């Protein structure tokens, strides 16, 4: 079972008034062990020099460039493995404390 928690953030407007409150539910992925809890990992990293090189190649060769939101793409990925997380804070079933949740899609963290 992977732990989980809520992360809260307050977004402020230009005049320092509260614009909105945000909450994100994340997994405590650091508690997993390679080979036991997961088989592979993927971290997307792009250097600005690599991006500039790709753009200049595309301009030179007349290629089309398409943009995608990779962060959202990874978060909406369907999970093929069975992954269990603890009951989220605020959504616990107190009479069934030993129960866990099954993730159907990827969760940040």
């Amino acid at each position: 079972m992977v732990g989980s928690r809520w992360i809260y953030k307050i977004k402020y407007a230009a005049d320092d008034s509260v614009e909105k409150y945000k909450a994100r539910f994340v997994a405590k992925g650091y508690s997993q062990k390679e080979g036991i809890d997961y088989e592979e990992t993927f971290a997307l990293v792009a250097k600005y020099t690599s991006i500039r090189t790709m753009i200049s190649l595309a301009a030179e060769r007349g290629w089309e460039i398409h943009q995608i939101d990779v962060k959202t793409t990874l978060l909406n990925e369907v999970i093929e493995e069975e992954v269990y997380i603890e009951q989220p804070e605020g959504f616990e079933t107190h009479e069934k404390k030993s129960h866990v949740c099954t993730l159907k899609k990827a969760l940040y963290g």
Side-chain angles (χ1 to χ4, degrees):
M1 176 182 71
V2 177
S4 60
R5 70 181 194 141
W6 288 97
I7 295 179
Y8 301 102
K9 193 169 193 176
I10 301 173
K11 294 285 189 168
Y12 294 97
D15 63 354
D16 284 337
S17 63
V18 175
E19 185 175 340
K20 61 181 163 180
Y21 297 94
K22 294 183 83 173
R24 183 182 343 171
F25 185 65
V26 299
K28 294 179 181 177
Y30 58 82
S31 65
Q32 294 177 295
K33 294 177 180 56
E34 185 176 3
I36 298 171
D37 297 316
Y38 66 91
E39 299 299 324
E40 58 189 50
T41 183
F42 178 76
L44 182 67
V45 177
K47 293 184 180 180
Y48 285 114
T49 54
S50 301
I51 294 169
R52 283 195 303 262
T53 302
M54 293 301 295
I55 291 172
S56 64
L57 274 172
E60 180 182 297
R61 298 182 182 188
W63 295 343
E64 289 185 27
I65 297 177
H66 299 275
Q67 178 182 345
I68 61 170
D69 184 357
V70 176
K71 187 175 185 181
T72 302
T73 302
L74 294 174
L75 288 176
N76 291 324
E77 183 68 26
V78 176
I79 299 175
E80 295 175 6
E81 302 85 12
E82 285 190 14
V83 179
Y84 302 101
I85 61 167
E86 66 187 9
Q87 294 182 35
E89 180 184 339
F91 295 92
E92 304 99 334
T93 306
H94 296 289
E95 58 273 358
K96 299 178 182 176
K97 285 195 179 274
S98 63
H99 287 208
V100 294
C101 299
T102 304
L103 286 181
K104 301 221 184 267
K105 292 196 174 195
L107 188 61
Y108 189 83

